[in-house]
Each structure stands twice: as structure tokens, then as C-alpha cells.
Amino acid sequence: MRKFLALLIVVLSVSSVFAAGDDLFQTALLQSLMLGEYDGVITVKELKTYGDTGIGTFQGVNGELIMTGGKVYQALWDGSVKIASDDETIPFANVTFFDADITQKGINAGDITALKEIMTSSAHEHGRNQFYMAKVSGLMPHILVRSELKQEEPYKPLNDALKTDQREFTYSDIRGTIVALYCPDYMSGLNTAGWHLHFVSDDGTKGGHVLEVSVKDCLLEMDIISGFNMIVPNRKSFNDKELSVNMQEEIQQVEGK
């Protein structure tokens, strides 16, 4: 399994040579985050050199990260949102320089499942084994988002932390942008297959990880991404973790599925 992951990283990284400027950059693994690897790997300032659009979290899982238009928003446990400082550190994120290869207007969906089906249908039409970064912008008649309290050492696994420290917020008739990442099925050892959605309101005051949503007459933009690059921390806490364990069930719980 470890040899497979190493080979996968190499193969995907090589593909970026042929797709310069159209890469997905990943900081560490979702699996390492799930196991409590919450210390930062790079700073927000450094993250901006790899993309202008994406999702992730912050040191100690201190809120949800939403990047759009080059701005990095930090959706905190109390429902507030702020612009993240450049020296804030990032334990996990996925970003890219967004270029809309696919555009669909007038998107309507009654719930998150319907929205994902629309995006997945478009993704599979253009290549089910590519990566996609998507933005859905416009009116959200209903949206439920979450953030979480900052964790302190010794860190608990993420699904355990969220059982007590997750905070949820519901908004109605709010305008904003959903930033969504799609990973193909073969990424299940490094991330999670399918869609992962974060939201920030147009006024930058509300946001978080999306648990439920309906959209009305929204604009869908999708960037087809054929390159992949990843960095991992070289430290004892990371190197001691058993990352070959299948964590898909725990990941699905954290995603809210």
C-alpha cells in the first residue's frame, strides 16, 4: 500500500509537467488530518503562491478555510468569518489557480445531493478521472454550514473532536459562493473521492463546511485540473502515523454523509 501511494504521488506529480499552471496543490493528506495531524505545514502566504481558489483548514483545525479570488477566509467556531493572516499556518488544504473551463448558468438544486449530482454529471462528461475545482455563486435559499473549536494538544482524531466541538449555522436566502473540490475515485488513499464543499457569503461574514444547501438560479463554474502536487511534513508525529489504514467510513462521517 505504501509503495502504491508513493508511486501514485510520483505519477501525478509528473503529470503537472504537461499541465503547467493547471495543477491541484495539496498540503498533507486528509487521512493525516483525520488522525489528528493538526499542526501547520505551510503558511497562508505560502499557500497563495500555489493557487487563488480552494478549501482547507488551519492550525489546530481552527476553523474552515475558503479561498476564492485570491482571498483566504477563515470561518470560525462562533459563526464569524475573517480574512486569514498571512502567517497563519495550514495543516491541510487543496488549492489551484482557477480557470473556468465549464460554465453553466441558471443552476437550481433543492438539496446538496441534487447539487452534487449536477456537478458530477458535468465532471463525468468531461472526464471522470480528472480533478475539478468548482464555484457555485448566487442565491442559497437554505444552507447549513459547520465549523469547529480550535483543538489543543494532545490532539484527538478529527471525527472524535467534531462529536463535541462542531458548531452548526443555518442561513436563509443568503448570497455567496460555494467552493468545491472533486477528487476521482483513485484518490481515496490521499484525500476523499467525490465532492467537498465550503461556503463564504458575498459580504465575507458567514461561511463554513457545507452540510446542506439549496441553490436558485446560480452560476456554476468548473476548472478541469490534470496535474497534482503534494507536500507532506517531515516530522515525527506525521512519520509515526499509520496512513495505510482505510479511513473512508470516518471520512464520510466527518463530511456529514
Side-chain angles (χ1 to χ4, degrees):
M1 179 64 177
R2 288 175 178 170
K3 290 181 179 179
F4 169 75
L5 289 179
L7 177 62
L8 180 62
I9 294 168
V10 170
V11 170
L12 292 175
S13 294
V14 168
S15 72
S16 67
V17 174
F18 304 101
D22 194 21
D23 296 352
L24 181 70
F25 173 79
Q26 180 167 304
T27 305
L29 288 75
L30 181 56
Q31 284 76 356
S32 60
L33 186 77
M34 290 292 302
L35 290 170
E37 192 67 19
Y38 301 155
D39 289 330
V41 181
I42 63 173
T43 65
V44 167
K45 183 177 181 179
E46 292 168 327
L47 189 69
K48 291 176 182 176
T49 67
Y50 293 103
D52 59 14
T53 304
I55 58 178
T57 189
F58 297 90
Q59 168 77 25
V61 199
N62 187 23
E64 303 286 342
L65 184 154
I66 312 99
M67 179 190 282
T68 181
K71 293 182 179 180
V72 178
Y73 296 93
Q74 185 174 8
L76 295 164
W77 68 273
D78 62 356
S80 66
V81 175
K82 67 176 185 178
I83 298 294
S85 63
D86 278 347
D87 59 359
E88 187 81 40
T89 59
I90 308 296
F92 177 74
N94 289 99
V95 300
T96 191
F97 286 105
F98 191 84
D99 179 22
D101 298 309
I102 305 163
T103 301
Q104 296 181 41
K105 297 180 180 180
I107 296 296
N108 296 286
D111 56 31
I112 192 170
T113 300
L115 177 59
K116 287 181 179 180
E117 287 176 352
I118 291 169
M119 295 192 295
T120 299
S121 176
S122 185
H124 286 186
E125 179 182 345
H126 290 84
R128 66 186 306 128
N129 289 324
Q130 300 300 304
F131 298 88
Y132 294 85
M133 192 71 76
K135 293 197 290 187
V136 180
S137 53
L139 178 64
M140 318 285 167
H142 167 77
I143 188 165
L144 172 66
V145 297
R146 73 115 189 273
S147 189
E148 52 281 317
L149 294 168
K150 182 179 181 181
Q151 300 300 296
E152 304 294 341
E153 295 184 295
Y155 296 134
K156 297 180 289 187
L158 186 56
N159 57 337
D160 289 338
L162 292 182
K163 288 176 183 177
T164 56
D165 295 342
Q166 176 170 302
R167 301 292 184 268
E168 298 179 0
F169 306 92
T170 301
Y171 304 109
S172 299
D173 296 325
I174 187 171
R175 303 191 72 88
T177 298
I178 292 172
V179 178
L181 170 69
Y182 176 87
C183 288
D185 289 343
Y186 58 78
M187 280 293 290
S188 60
L190 301 175
N191 203 306
T192 183
W195 292 100
H196 186 124
L197 288 66
H198 286 192
F199 168 81
V200 65
S201 61
D202 281 351
D203 62 6
T205 64
K206 300 175 180 66
H209 171 100
V210 180
L211 297 172
E212 298 175 7
V213 67
S214 62
V215 303
K216 183 177 181 181
D217 196 26
C218 283
L219 173 66
L220 169 63
E221 301 170 287
M222 296 175 61
D223 186 3
I224 306 171
I225 304 169
S226 54
F228 178 81
N229 293 279
M230 183 175 75
I231 61 169
V232 297
N234 185 9
R235 59 192 179 215
K236 189 176 187 304
S237 60
F238 179 86
N239 291 332
D240 285 350
K241 284 184 168 57
E242 181 51 75
L243 295 173
S244 64
V245 176
N246 187 326
M247 301 197 68
Q248 290 309 302
E249 183 176 347
E250 291 87 348
I251 289 172
Q252 295 301 310
Q253 292 172 359
V254 166
E255 286 294 306
K257 300 175 183 176

